[in-house]
Every structure is written in structure tokens, then in C-alpha cells.
Amino acid sequence: MDFLLSGVAACGACLFTNPLEVVKTRMQLQGELRAPGTYTRHYRNVFHAFYTIGRVDGLSALQRGLLPALFYQFGFNGLRLGLYGIADTAGYIHASDGSISLLRTTVAGALSGVVSATVSSPIYMVKTHIQAQSAAEIAVGHQYQHQGMLHALAMIHKEHGVLGLWRGSLSAAPRVMVGSSTQLATFSSSKEFFSQLEIFPKESWLLALSAGMTSSVTVAVAMTPFDVASTRLYNQPVGPRGEGLMYKGLFDCLSKIIRSEGFFGIYKGLGASYFRIGPHTILSLLFWDQLRQSYSGWTQQKR
């Protein structure tokens, strides 16, 4: 049930935040390995990106990649939050005095994130490819021509085999370790902190909301460099043997971005990242927390 509730919570958040994911992906690919000022900026900021995509590609393009995004969120966050929820219920993340252990929450968050990201990596790659697809006049990054999620998975498998579906998964692991450990550790710690302040009623949804808002800021800052690299690694063109033609791996990608685009190139789309990560973190953790509380209350009533 932990896995199911977690997956449902993440999908609920995804319905609202997928347009922000489309914008984030486009902004992270814009000006790839180009020095600032040497390319046309199709997307000047988050709001201009929304306007441009809606005007050129149509309003429906703002929900591009929604199906793989939902599959990814259900699989990735269902497994990630489900595993973390089991650790929480078993008391692993608590110290001997019953308080939240920052070290244990960080380890539990990182491990659950790596397992989940590895399992769901093919869907994440397909999601990135589809969300990057656009009309030629506003195209950024390599343009795949997938006709949908199943078509993309079939084509990748046909051209590069089973291993091709997991291309980039090892390089993406640090992104998930940083994001998941930061998110869950700060959420659990913040929730305990706000609870001790007693500014909200016990078990109030406002506790989860406040903790989610705190967590989202930390996640956006810590995760964006790895998120930019991950987007580019998944979206880069591929050679006949399945090798990336632009980047060899995570560190090669980060170093090339810094050399070509400057240090702040690894923070490209930070605003879009927060606008996406922030609401998604808040909504998914809020939904997850409330669903777990509701289920716990229902099971206690049945007893």
C-alpha cells in the first residue's frame, strides 16, 4: 500500500507540474555547449517560454510527454517514497531517542532514489526526448522524432537493444541521490521542526505543506546542476553502437558545460527548475503525507 499511495500522490502532482517540466527541459537544452550571447534565446525566462511554446507549438504542447511522465512518476516516486515509507514505519530513520536522524534520512533517501531511478530510467529518457520535440523555429537540443511513448521504447530497443534503454542511467544516479536525499531529509526534519513549534494543530496538512515548501528550495539549489547534465545526457544524439556523441558521462558533461557556457551554465533554467521542482515537491509530499495519514486512520478504525 505504501508503494500505491506514493505513486498516486506523485501522479496527482505531475498533472499540475508537467507543463513546468516541459519548460524546464527546453531551457536546460537551450544554447547547448554555446558561449552566452552566441545563440538565439528562444526562451528568455519561464513565462516567455510558456508563451513561446503555446504560440508556436500550441497549448497542448505544454502537456507534451504527459503519458511517460505519469508512468515515470508512478514507478519512480511510487518505489522511492514507498521504500522510504517502509524505512520510516520500521523506525530506521529515527535515532534512539525517537527524534529524526538527519544522517539516516539522508541515507534512506539516497538509496531509495538510486533504486527507483535505475528501474524507471528508460521512461525518463523517453519523457525527455518527447518533451524536447518542437517546431524547427524554436527547437533546442537534439530532436528525436518519436510518435509516442511505446513507439520511442520500441525504436530505442530495435536500434540499441535492451542496454540502450538504460543509456545514461548510471550517470543519472548522482542526480537522484542528491535530489532524493536532500528532499526527504529536509522534509522529515522540517516537519519535525514545525511540529515542535506547535504553530499548527497536530497532524495538520499545514505541517506537510510548510515542510514541503522548505524542502523544495533546498532541492532546487542542490539538484539543478545534476538535472541539467542528466537532461543533456539523455537527449544527446547516439552513435551506431549506442554511445553518446556529445558527452561520455556525467563529469564530462559538467566540465564541457562549464568550459563552453561558464559556471552558471550548470544552473541553466534554475528558475524553471524551482517552478517545477517546488510545486511538485510540495504537492507530491503533501499528497503522500495526507494519503498515508488517511490510510493509517482507516486501518486503525477497522481494527
Side-chain angles (χ1 to χ4, degrees), residues 236-249:
Q236 68 176 322
V238 182
R241 293 190 300 273
E243 75 282 6
L245 298 181
M246 297 179 71
Y247 313 106
K248 298 177 183 177

Side-chain angles (χ1 to χ4, degrees), residues 188-204 206-208 210-211:
S188 297
S189 301
S190 298
K191 187 181 176 186
E192 182 181 54
F193 173 74
F194 287 119
S195 179
Q196 290 173 348
L197 290 179
E198 297 183 347
I199 55 179
F200 303 118
K202 187 178 180 180
E203 303 301 332
S204 169
L206 291 171
L207 282 172
S210 301

Side-chain angles (χ1 to χ4, degrees), residues 187-235:
F187 177 76
S188 297
S189 301
S190 298
K191 187 181 176 186
E192 182 181 54
F193 173 74
F194 287 119
S195 179
Q196 290 173 348
L197 290 179
E198 297 183 347
I199 55 179
F200 303 118
K202 187 178 180 180
E203 303 301 332
S204 169
W205 64 272
L206 291 171
L207 282 172
L209 177 62
S210 301
M213 291 175 68
T214 304
S215 177
S216 64
V217 175
T218 310
V219 172
V221 174
M223 191 177 176
T224 294
F226 299 97
D227 198 37
V228 171
S230 181
T231 296
R232 296 195 179 182
L233 284 164
Y234 276 120
N235 194 67

Side-chain angles (χ1 to χ4, degrees), residues 12-26:
C14 181
L15 290 172
F16 296 96
T17 61
N18 189 62
L20 293 163
E21 178 76 6
V22 173
V23 167
K24 175 185 74 73
T25 299
R26 303 275 184 96

Side-chain angles (χ1 to χ4, degrees), residues 64-104:
R64 184 160 289 168
L66 179 60
L67 182 61
L70 289 171
F71 271 87
Y72 172 74
Q73 290 298 334
F74 187 85
F76 170 70
N77 276 312
L79 187 56
R80 182 177 71 99
L81 295 179
L83 289 171
Y84 186 82
I86 291 173
D88 183 12
T89 303
Y92 172 77
I93 67 171
H94 297 273
S96 57
D97 61 357
S99 63
I100 297 292
S101 168
L102 183 60
L103 175 61
R104 291 188 176 192

Side-chain angles (χ1 to χ4, degrees), residues 92-196:
Y92 172 77
I93 67 171
H94 297 273
S96 57
D97 61 357
S99 63
I100 297 292
S101 168
L102 183 60
L103 175 61
R104 291 188 176 192
T105 55
T106 301
V107 172
L111 292 177
S112 62
V114 169
V115 172
S116 308
T118 302
V119 172
S120 55
S121 182
I123 303 298
Y124 187 90
M125 178 166 61
V126 167
K127 176 187 73 68
T128 302
H129 290 179
I130 293 176
Q131 289 176 338
Q133 290 179 194
S134 64
E137 62 184 281
I138 58 170
V140 292
H142 183 73
Q143 294 288 296
Y144 287 90
Q145 300 301 320
H146 299 315
Q147 297 173 15
M149 183 180 73
L150 295 179
H151 174 264
L153 290 170
M155 290 303 296
I156 294 170
H157 180 268
K158 180 180 178 181
E159 294 177 9
H160 306 294
V162 174
L163 292 180
L165 293 170
W166 268 269
R167 178 177 59 83
S169 60
L170 290 178
S171 298
R175 164 189 175 271
V176 181
M177 288 181 68
V178 170
S180 182
S181 60
T182 303
Q183 181 192 63
L184 294 174
T186 54
F187 177 76
S188 297
S189 301
S190 298
K191 187 181 176 186
E192 182 181 54
F193 173 74
F194 287 119
S195 179
Q196 290 173 348

